[in-house]
Amino acid sequence: MRYAETGFNLEIDLTRGNIERVATDPRDTELYLGGLGTNAKILWDRVAPEVDAFSPENLLIFAAGLLCGTPAPGCNRTIVSTISPQTKLMAFSMMGGFWAPELKYAGYDKVILRGKSPKLVYILIHNDKVEIRDASHLSGKGAVETQELLRAELKEPKAQVAAIGLAGENKVFFASIEQGRSSASRGGIGAVMGDKGVKAIVVRGTKDVNMAQPAEYMKLCNDVLKYIKFRNENPIPGVMPILAGLGSPQEMRVHDEKWHTENFMWGNSRHRRKDFWNDDVEKEWTNTMDKARTRLISCYNCPMQCGATISMPGLPTYMMKCFSKLTYTMAAMSNLDFGLKIAQRATEYGVDGFSAPQVMAFALELLENGILTDKDFEGMPTDNDGKFYWLLDRIVRREGIGDILANGTYWAAEQIGNGANAFAHNNIKKHEQLPLKLSMLNPIYFLMYSTGEKINITQIEGQFPQAPWPTMEEREEFVKDWFQVPDDKFKQILLDWEPRGEKSMPLYPTVQMCCDIVDWQERMHYIDDALGMCSGLSSFPLKPPYHIHNYPKFISLGAGIEMDEEKLTNAAKRYRTLVRAINISRGMRRKDEKPPENHWKKRFPELEKELLDTYYKFKGWNNDGIPTKEYLNEMGLGYVAEEFQKRGIYSETESASSKETSTNNETN
Amino acid sequence: MKDEKKKKIVKSIRINVDKCNGCRACEVVCSAFHSNPKYSSNNPARSRIRVIRDPLADIFVPVYAGEYAVAECAGRDKYTIDGKEYDECAFCRASCPSRDLFKEPDSGLPLKCDMCESDPTLERPLCVEWCLNDALIFEEREVDDEDDVKQEELEIGLESLANKYGIQKLAEIIAKMSESKKG
């Protein structure tokens, strides 16, 4: 018997309409865990580097994490992996909600889509009954609307539905997949779903998920719940409120937005408004949020309340979480009332809440600067808010200028030319980033931004405090019960870290320490993504209930796979390397690994070079970011080394500068 | 001694729907606890508590399984409270032919909440234990046994029968009934 996982994947060939239930190899679980790990293995094995995002040979994989469907609190992530139309690299966006556990109860760990359906369909999974069904009546429907329509039509109120909106159907490069209060937004995976002709996947399951050592596993879960309770009652002192507790940043709960509105950038990630937050704004925005918010809600089996149901007057109710509360407001230089209203439409269309507002602000900047002209915006209203609604409508329908903007700021700028690329200034690896522009280089964040292959900072950072405490008392207080650290050396780094002087940024933590910190933070995220754990209870917040010391027990007692910290660390390294291998085979190199030029005002080129050199070495990669033969063999990834060899990847010259423009040219 | 009323323990779960965040942890832990061996499997479809959930309509109602009903009610109820229309029979706890709630998914056999009866006794049912938002609160209280009151009710009932059919007829029927029970 298989524990925690079901041991079966659903393979659906949309071109031929063929559906198969395929048993998986338990050895793969041991090596790559599940979720992201086994997704990466499948993509490496089956999707060649020549395969484009919109090729029928591209796969779209919906995976339930290894521990989803078990009682582990907060374990509910669906990891969606494919090739991104925007970055042309591997995309692995995730969503919370209720879909992944339901898939397990239906008897599957993954749904793997290949080929393309000739017409719009939806997939119905009800235990052993799996059907591809006509979805022509759902064409053009909103992503939230579609979920409701399908549940009603099928008379299955308990079914969980993942759906795309108009943006996905029209292959917008930042289209999302929406499900309940959650969405898998980054990397344009909704566009791949639309390209495959799949409007929605409906899941209903009533089967058992089995545990290897039931009573012992339950005790671990109870300990986690107890610790969550403790952390909820004991927020971390001396940090801003959104960093003090567990869960996603509690944007639905808090009213005080001084920090975000005055430190994050407005417009096309351009303007800092240092005195924005005042009593009048606070009063108005608090009133808006109080009226809009019906209830704070959560994902499956989680006591937190990171999301909310939002009802704006005259608009259908929708669900929201985290920072999308402010992205539209700030891109449009408007108010919260506007932000919450346009987010309703954007959620129905199914677009990423980071990229979409930025793309629209970028377009208006191009108009202001004469790179685009009024002719490109014919019919656009003159009022500020109206412009954004108009642009959103054009983008998701790919009408006029919207057709170009639908490819995101990087590709739109390439197409528009005429200096437009200077305005696509907030991308990493062609993907829009948080609107942050800061003063002095932070070496830890430099490494995370540069080398992160999630290409989204919030899903790489966590664990280690973002800034030092000014007094030794505060630092001692923090490290005293900081048992989540993999090694006590991290406590010492924190104790020695000063806001100013010799032991302060950018020279302290030292390069070596930065490597350790970044590696730890990244590792925890990768483990979460294989197990299906919400990073809000694990890799993202300070002092989380899940950590490197209790995770091995969860895996041994839950899935029945013998595990310890070292073996788990090696597994995470293995599939993290596979993600990199996929991207390397797709042309990613050192030259692509850099934060936006203007992310920090004060840069330190020599230090940055040293950071990257050292981190690459630390990770077992060569100086161009390619995993070395020796490291691959050590990780049991000899087959990757062979493929690299065959493809001549190792025989490329070591000098990164000589191929500065190669990917740009080959993708044009 | 004779004047002292008999006492009994009533166990109840106070459900505050306003506090429910819709996470279904109650279902998770219930199905795990009632699997055999204990905690060996998870399947909310086997849970004896279910959250009736319609987030967009702001409906979150944890309902735990009550008695098995052989037949469905002659009429069904549908509540509208504060403008929110609840599912048909939403608040009913019965495992009943009218719906698929509270039935084993394979056999269709009815499920009933047993307040996590176990040896040793748990302090609280686990759904309550796992609800950190306090939507479910366990209460145990001692109440007077209602025997005396029932005696009174019985007398009123018998008297009305005697008035209708005559005391003689009633006595004959009771005698016959007790005879056949003995036999």
Side-chain angles (χ1 to χ4, degrees):
Chain A
M1 195 197 273
R2 303 280 279 268
Y3 299 103
E5 59 178 346
T6 66
F8 292 98
N9 291 341
L10 261 184
E11 294 270 0
I12 302 181
D13 183 334
L14 294 155
T15 309
R16 294 163 54 226
N18 187 51
I19 302 168
E20 275 175 74
R21 178 173 176 264
V22 179
T24 57
D25 187 340
R27 281 172 303 182
D28 280 346
T29 313
E30 199 161 344
L31 291 171
Y32 309 98
L33 304 182
L36 171 65
T38 37
N39 281 6
K41 177 73 166 71
I42 292 168
L43 285 177
W44 171 267
D45 286 347
R46 291 169 52 183
V47 181
E50 295 75 24
V51 173
D52 177 69
F54 295 148
S55 154
E57 286 156 66
N58 186 15
L59 301 180
L60 178 63
I61 311 175
F62 289 74
L66 178 62
L67 299 180
C68 289
T70 78
C75 197
N76 49 45
R77 266 10 187 208
T78 306
I79 300 95
V80 191
S81 308
T82 189
I83 300 303
S84 159
Q86 192 189 39
T87 66
K88 303 189 179 286
L89 304 172
M90 176 177 168
F92 54 105
S93 200
M94 280 145 303
M95 55 189 176
F98 295 76
W99 199 89
E102 199 72 29
L103 184 69
K104 284 283 190 75
Y105 301 134
Y108 312 99
D109 299 319
K110 293 184 202 291
V111 178
I112 303 169
L113 303 178
R114 67 177 190 272
K116 274 190 205 200
S117 165
K119 54 178 186 146
L120 195 65
V121 293
Y122 77 91
I123 293 161
L124 175 65
I125 303 168
H126 189 170
N127 295 334
D128 296 337
K129 189 180 88 181
V130 183
E131 291 172 23
I132 300 172
R133 292 185 163 197
D134 178 57
S136 49
H137 63 301
L138 299 170
S139 166
K141 296 279 189 233
V144 181
E145 194 185 3
T146 297
Q147 299 172 45
E148 294 300 305
L149 285 170
L150 280 171
R151 265 191 287 265
E153 166 183 330
L154 297 164
K155 294 196 178 63
E156 282 287 357
K158 295 195 200 85
Q160 304 301 336
V161 188
I164 54 169
L166 204 50
E169 285 184 51
N170 289 331
K171 300 188 239 179
V172 172
F173 281 12
F174 42 92
S176 62
I177 299 170
E178 302 284 328
Q179 175 248 144
R181 49 132 273 169
S182 306
S183 58
S185 297
R186 306 292 279 165
I189 52 178
V192 176
M193 187 157 161
D195 179 64
K196 298 212 169 293
V198 177
K199 179 70 178 172
I201 309 182
V202 184
V203 186
R204 175 80 182 114
T206 60
K207 297 197 204 177
D208 296 345
V209 168
N210 298 306
M211 306 315 305
Q213 292 187 57
E216 294 82 353
Y217 189 79
M218 206 59 186
K219 189 182 171 302
L220 289 176
C221 297
N222 278 316
D223 290 346
V224 160
L225 270 187
K226 236 179 270 164
Y227 190 70
I228 292 173
K229 221 169 156 178
F230 167 81
R231 280 289 277 107
N232 287 347
E233 286 158 7
N234 296 278
I236 293 180
V239 295
M240 64 181 123
I242 59 161
L243 296 177
L246 298 174
S248 291
Q250 299 291 299
E251 284 297 292
M252 298 296 103
R253 188 191 297 272
V254 300
H255 290 304
D256 181 358
E257 290 294 359
K258 182 178 170 62
W259 192 79
H260 277 127
T261 55
E262 295 189 351
N263 287 289
F264 280 53
M265 297 290 146
W266 294 66
N268 181 25
S269 192
R270 281 298 181 196
H271 316 287
R272 183 153 175 203
R273 299 168 85 176
K274 271 187 174 162
D275 299 310
F276 174 77
W277 194 253
N278 58 36
D279 288 350
D280 290 342
V281 177
E282 176 153 24
K283 219 165 125 190
E284 184 202 316
W285 288 26
T286 301
N287 187 33
T288 301
M289 196 65 192
D290 274 342
K291 276 198 197 144
R293 188 182 61 199
T294 322
R295 184 186 294 253
L296 293 169
I297 54 175
S298 79
C299 298
Y300 183 77
N301 190 22
C302 178
M304 307 306 292
Q305 302 175 324
C306 309
T309 41
I310 304 283
S311 306
M312 295 303 281
L315 296 176
T317 302
Y318 68 107
M319 292 174 261
M320 179 184 256
K321 63 181 181 306
C322 210
F323 193 54
S324 48
K325 173 184 174 186
L326 297 184
T327 51
Y328 290 96
T329 297
M330 290 178 71
M333 311 275 284
S334 187
N335 59 15
L336 185 61
D337 180 74
F338 162 77
L340 295 182
K341 278 180 182 154
I342 196 170
Q344 186 275 328
R345 197 183 290 189
T347 306
E348 285 288 11
Y349 284 152
V351 286
D352 176 34
F354 284 123
S355 290
Q358 206 161 121
V359 168
M360 296 190 280
F362 156 83
L364 293 175
E365 229 182 40
L366 291 182
L367 177 61
E368 272 162 37
N369 287 275
I371 293 171
L372 289 173
T373 65
D374 286 333
K375 222 171 144 250
D376 298 307
F377 294 83
E378 228 176 300
M380 183 168 77
T382 49
D383 69 298
N384 180 56
D385 292 358
K387 287 176 184 172
F388 278 78
Y389 281 108
W390 185 86
L391 277 169
L392 182 61
D393 287 351
R394 301 286 84 68
I395 289 169
V396 300
R397 291 180 176 79
R398 282 190 173 275
E399 286 170 357
I401 190 70
D403 191 28
I404 295 169
L405 297 173
N407 296 340
T409 56
Y410 176 85
W411 295 109
E414 291 284 304
Q415 218 171 324
I416 294 163
N418 201 13
N421 51 12
F423 297 83
H425 66 106
N426 202 36
N427 298 334
I428 298 177
K429 293 166 186 160
K430 309 183 178 69
H431 193 45
E432 292 80 13
Q433 300 298 312
L434 268 179
L436 262 176
K437 301 292 162 198
L438 304 164
S439 55
M440 197 188 56
L441 176 91
N442 175 324
I444 297 172
Y445 275 75
F446 171 81
L447 280 181
M448 290 192 292
Y449 273 121
S450 300
T451 64
E453 275 158 272
K454 279 191 165 182
I455 323 182
N456 192 14
I457 195 67
T458 57
Q459 296 183 353
I460 307 167
E461 64 184 342
Q463 303 281 342
F464 197 82
Q466 293 188 5
W469 276 273
T471 68
M472 188 49 88
E473 290 72 44
E474 285 169 290
R475 292 172 217 161
E476 277 168 353
E477 181 64 22
F478 182 83
V479 302
K480 141 184 125 203
D481 60 354
W482 197 18
F483 57 83
Q484 289 87 349
V485 290
D487 190 299
D488 274 349
K489 70 182 170 194
F490 292 100
K491 293 185 185 174
Q492 199 53 50
I493 299 173
L494 194 71
L495 287 172
D496 294 341
W497 189 19
E498 305 272 357
R500 248 160 248 98
E502 223 173 276
K503 292 209 163 171
S504 74
M505 294 249 180
L507 295 175
Y508 193 92
T510 65
V511 170
Q512 191 56 49
M513 288 170 185
C514 288
C515 292
D516 278 326
I517 293 167
V518 171
D519 182 63
W520 169 33
Q521 304 200 101
E522 185 188 72
R523 186 193 321 154
M524 296 321 295
H525 278 280
Y526 271 79
I527 296 174
D528 289 347
D529 300 345
L531 303 184
M533 188 59 67
C534 169
S535 67
L537 288 180
S538 180
S539 48
F540 186 71
L542 299 167
K543 297 187 179 171
Y546 293 100
H547 41 81
I548 192 68
H549 310 302
N550 64 1
Y551 260 155
K553 294 179 204 154
F554 269 93
I555 298 168
S556 343
L557 300 174
I561 297 166
E562 210 181 297
M563 194 59 68
D564 55 33
E565 287 178 29
E566 198 194 338
K567 197 173 162 195
L568 178 58
T569 296
N570 278 333
K573 279 183 182 174
R574 187 174 298 119
Y575 57 80
R576 192 270 171 266
T577 308
L578 258 191
V579 171
R580 172 147 292 239
I582 291 167
N583 291 335
I584 290 290
S585 73
R586 292 185 161 266
M588 188 189 79
R589 295 292 183 273
R590 181 174 181 138
K591 64 181 163 38
D592 302 300
E593 304 226 282
K594 53 185 181 202
E597 208 107 336
N598 57 3
H599 187 80
W600 292 285
K601 230 181 248 153
K602 236 172 131 186
R603 299 286 291 261
F604 298 82
E606 272 170 40
L607 174 63
E608 290 173 23
K609 183 181 175 300
E610 192 192 342
L611 279 162
L612 219 47
D613 286 349
T614 315
Y615 190 65
Y616 278 179
K617 213 169 277 168
F618 176 93
K619 292 292 255 190
W621 308 338
N622 72 15
N623 214 30
D624 210 8
I626 303 166
T628 63
K629 255 178 263 182
E630 297 71 30
Y631 182 69
L632 288 168
N633 284 323
E634 190 190 313
M635 285 293 111
L637 298 172
Y639 56 89
V640 172
E642 270 169 44
E643 186 67 20
F644 279 1
Q645 194 82 39
K646 215 163 73 191
R647 288 184 170 268
I649 286 173
Y650 285 128
S651 46
E652 289 171 12
T653 140
E654 284 290 320
S655 136
S657 57
S658 65
K659 332 181 270 313
E660 200 66 57
T661 53
S662 65
T663 24
N664 290 353
N665 292 338
E666 91 202 15
T667 43
N668 272 345
Chain B
M1 193 65 189
K2 212 180 175 190
D3 290 324
E4 215 169 277
K5 284 195 171 171
K6 273 194 257 170
K7 302 277 188 188
K8 65 175 179 188
I9 302 286
V10 172
K11 293 178 175 183
S12 66
I13 296 174
R14 284 168 70 102
I15 300 166
N16 186 340
V17 297
D18 293 335
K19 286 188 172 176
C20 179
N21 69 346
C23 78
R24 300 171 56 200
C26 50
E27 300 180 12
V28 175
V29 72
C30 176
S31 86
F33 178 80
H34 288 98
S35 64
N36 190 16
K38 208 176 270 182
Y39 307 124
S40 62
S41 72
N42 307 276
N43 182 357
R46 293 189 202 283
S47 171
R48 293 134 195 243
I49 181 165
R50 296 310 298 266
V51 183
I52 309 232
R53 242 179 130 261
D54 185 353
L56 296 181
D58 195 44
I59 285 173
F60 295 84
V61 188
V63 179
Y64 60 104
E67 282 307 318
Y68 166 64
V70 255
E72 56 192 271
C73 296
R76 297 189 188 171
D77 55 30
K78 193 159 193 171
Y79 283 87
T80 303
I81 304 170
D82 288 340
K84 292 187 265 181
E85 194 178 276
Y86 288 80
D87 269 4
E88 205 172 75
C89 310
F91 298 98
C92 180
R93 296 173 51 205
S95 172
C96 149
S98 76
R99 58 181 184 180
D100 68 353
L101 212 59
F102 304 136
K103 286 171 190 157
E104 282 283 356
D106 317 322
S107 61
L109 287 170
L111 296 162
K112 184 183 165 184
C113 167
D114 58 1
M115 293 272 168
C116 292
E117 207 173 77
S118 73
D119 188 18
T121 317
L122 299 177
E123 215 175 295
R124 280 179 284 274
L126 287 178
C127 55
V128 174
E129 199 76 59
W130 272 47
C131 183
L132 298 196
N133 291 298
D134 292 341
L136 306 175
I137 298 285
F138 179 63
E139 274 185 0
E140 225 174 2
R141 60 180 194 275
E142 214 177 40
V143 294
D144 294 339
D145 203 322
E146 302 296 320
D147 264 7
D148 294 350
V149 185
K150 277 185 196 143
Q151 188 74 29
E152 238 168 68
E153 278 171 16
L154 181 64
E155 270 170 35
I156 295 167
L158 280 175
E159 199 162 317
S160 73
L161 286 175
N163 287 343
K164 191 169 177 184
Y165 301 105
I167 187 83
Q168 193 58 40
K169 188 94 175 167
L170 195 62
E172 275 170 28
I173 288 169
I174 288 172
K176 212 182 281 173
M177 276 169 72
S178 57
E179 198 64 28
S180 69
K181 291 265 179 213
K182 264 185 229 159

